[in-house]
Amino acid sequence: MSKAKLLQIGDITDRMHDALSPHFDVDVLFAQDDRDAFLREHGADYPAILTNGHWGVPDDVFAATPNLKVVSSYGVGYDAIDAGACAARGILVAHTPDVLNDEVANTFVMLWLAVSRSLIPADRHARSGDWERDGSFPLTRSVQNRRVGILGLGRIGQTIADRCEAFGAEIHYHSRSKKDVDYTYHDSPLKLAEAVEVLVAITPGGPSTHHIVDVDVLGGLGADGLFFNVARGSVVDEAALVKALQDGTIAGAGLDVFEEEPKIPDALKSRDNVVLTPHVASATHETRQAMGDLVVENLTQWLKEGTVKTPVPECRNL
Ligand SMILES: O=CC(=O)O
């Protein structure tokens, strides 16, 4: 019996490839020399797409796959996929929620400690000989007993809150709606920023959260404030963030995501009060394995039953 055809957009692990191969005939979009000709000739053959949060489903692919039935994305954030348009065409979209909550929360903690305790400059001081030559490294700032603001109290935001409690934090949050939790709610990102010393963005990306951290919010955070982004680059006005760091409007930042990945502004790269990671919040062997297994499970379940295990909210009623 012939296998179902699957169009792969972006990289996958060997384990995912091996698990998919018995069920799907996999073609890699980026391996095609002439993408337009390939999509024109073969687009209608694909009922299934495997993609990720970075590539999503580009418009040309969406338009060239009239028989598409399922999209399985290797990541939790799906702002690069027009899930509303997929739902309207009856296409199921699946993502990988929950299995990465711990890792993303841990990445925030790593950045928070690194920025507050000046980990990168301190490491440099230790290995460069500066310690012997110039003496002790300057004092840094404690992460203990801070007022922490979580922008987006979804599943990952809650896991971040749990981690922060271990540091004696007073937790504040802003979300689209008030939740049944003991933390302090603020009805705007600005009011949240004004109330806290540490602000972490962990909202979904997309038009509804575009630049919700802007010049005013950064001003509200204030000169001792630290900003962290483990959400999407689009959530923050990056130019305003650069200026806020340059002008001392805020004290520092830890960033895993950027507006034009993989490009990072030089003005961020050159600052000692900023720690940068290349969108790796979920990128451990263990968590990527769990995410990959879920991507595969969504596709094989769809093959067997026509459903997926973890649909995005827009597709839950399909
Ligand atoms: O950014 C990572 C994800 O959305 O899983």
Side-chain angles (χ1 to χ4, degrees), residues 53 74-78 96 100 231-232 257 279 282 288 291:
Y74 183 30
V76 68
Y78 58 97
T96 62
L100 42 59
R232 282 288 182 264
V257 289
H279 202 148
S282 67
R288 284 292 166 86
M291 290 163 65

Coordinates of all heavy atoms in Angstrom, one line a residue, residues 53 74-78 96 100 231-232 257 279 282 288 291, ligand 1:
G53 N 7.7 26.3 14.5 CA 7.2 27.7 14.8 C 7.8 28.8 14.0 O 7.3 29.9 13.9
Y74 N 6.2 21.5 15.1 CA 7.3 21.1 16.1 C 7.6 22.3 17.0 O 8.6 22.9 16.8 CB 8.5 20.6 15.3 CG 9.7 20.0 15.9 CD1 9.6 19.4 17.2 CD2 10.9 20.2 15.3 CE1 10.7 18.8 17.7 CE2 12.1 19.6 15.9 CZ 11.9 19.0 17.1 OH 13.1 18.4 17.7
G75 N 6.6 22.6 17.9 CA 6.8 23.7 18.7 C 5.4 24.1 19.3 O 4.4 23.6 18.8
V76 N 5.4 24.9 20.4 CA 4.1 25.3 20.9 C 3.5 26.5 20.3 O 2.3 26.6 20.0 CB 4.2 25.4 22.5 CG1 5.1 26.6 22.9 CG2 2.9 25.6 23.1
G77 N 4.4 27.5 19.9 CA 3.9 28.8 19.3 C 3.6 28.5 17.9 O 4.4 28.0 17.2
Y78 N 2.5 29.0 17.4 CA 2.1 28.7 16.0 C 1.7 30.0 15.3 O 0.8 30.0 14.4 CB 1.0 27.6 16.0 CG -0.3 28.0 16.7 CD1 -1.4 28.5 16.1 CD2 -0.4 27.7 18.1 CE1 -2.5 28.9 16.8 CE2 -1.5 28.1 18.8 CZ -2.6 28.6 18.2 OH -3.7 29.0 18.9
T96 N 2.8 21.5 20.0 CA 3.4 20.7 21.1 C 3.3 21.4 22.5 O 4.4 21.8 23.0 CB 4.8 20.3 20.8 OG1 5.6 21.5 20.7 CG2 5.0 19.5 19.5
L100 N 7.1 21.3 26.9 CA 8.2 22.2 27.0 C 8.1 23.2 28.1 O 9.0 24.0 28.3 CB 8.5 22.8 25.6 CG 7.4 23.4 24.8 CD1 6.5 24.4 25.6 CD2 7.8 23.9 23.5
A231 N 9.3 34.6 24.7 CA 8.0 34.4 24.0 C 8.3 34.5 22.5 O 8.7 33.5 21.9 CB 7.1 35.5 24.4
R232 N 8.1 35.6 21.9 CA 8.4 35.8 20.5 C 9.0 37.2 20.4 O 8.6 38.2 21.1 CB 7.1 35.8 19.7 CG 6.6 34.4 19.4 CD 7.4 33.7 18.3 NE 6.9 32.4 18.0 CZ 7.3 31.3 18.6 NH1 8.2 31.3 19.5 NH2 6.8 30.1 18.2
V257 N 14.7 35.5 22.1 CA 14.0 35.6 20.8 C 14.1 37.1 20.3 O 14.3 38.0 21.1 CB 12.5 35.3 21.0 CG1 12.3 33.8 21.2 CG2 11.8 36.0 22.2
H279 N 17.3 31.6 20.5 CA 16.0 30.9 20.5 C 16.1 29.4 20.8 O 15.8 28.5 20.0 CB 15.3 31.1 19.1 CG 13.8 30.8 19.2 ND1 12.9 31.5 18.4 CD2 13.1 30.0 20.0 CE1 11.7 31.1 18.7 NE2 11.7 30.2 19.6
S282 N 13.6 25.7 24.4 CA 13.1 24.3 24.6 C 14.2 23.4 24.0 O 13.9 22.2 23.9 CB 11.8 24.1 23.8 OG 12.1 24.2 22.4
R288 N 13.3 18.3 23.3 CA 13.1 18.1 21.9 C 12.6 16.7 21.5 O 11.8 16.5 20.6 CB 14.3 18.5 21.1 CG 14.5 20.1 21.1 CD 13.4 20.7 20.2 NE 13.4 22.2 20.5 CZ 14.2 23.1 19.8 NH1 15.0 22.7 18.9 NH2 14.0 24.3 20.1
M291 N 9.0 16.7 22.4 CA 8.2 17.5 21.4 C 8.1 16.7 20.0 O 7.1 16.6 19.4 CB 8.9 18.8 21.1 CG 8.8 19.8 22.3 SD 10.0 21.1 22.2 CE 9.5 22.0 20.7
Ligands
LIG1 O1 9.6 28.9 20.3 C1 9.3 27.8 20.5 C2 8.0 27.2 20.4 O2 7.1 27.8 20.0 O3 7.9 26.0 20.7

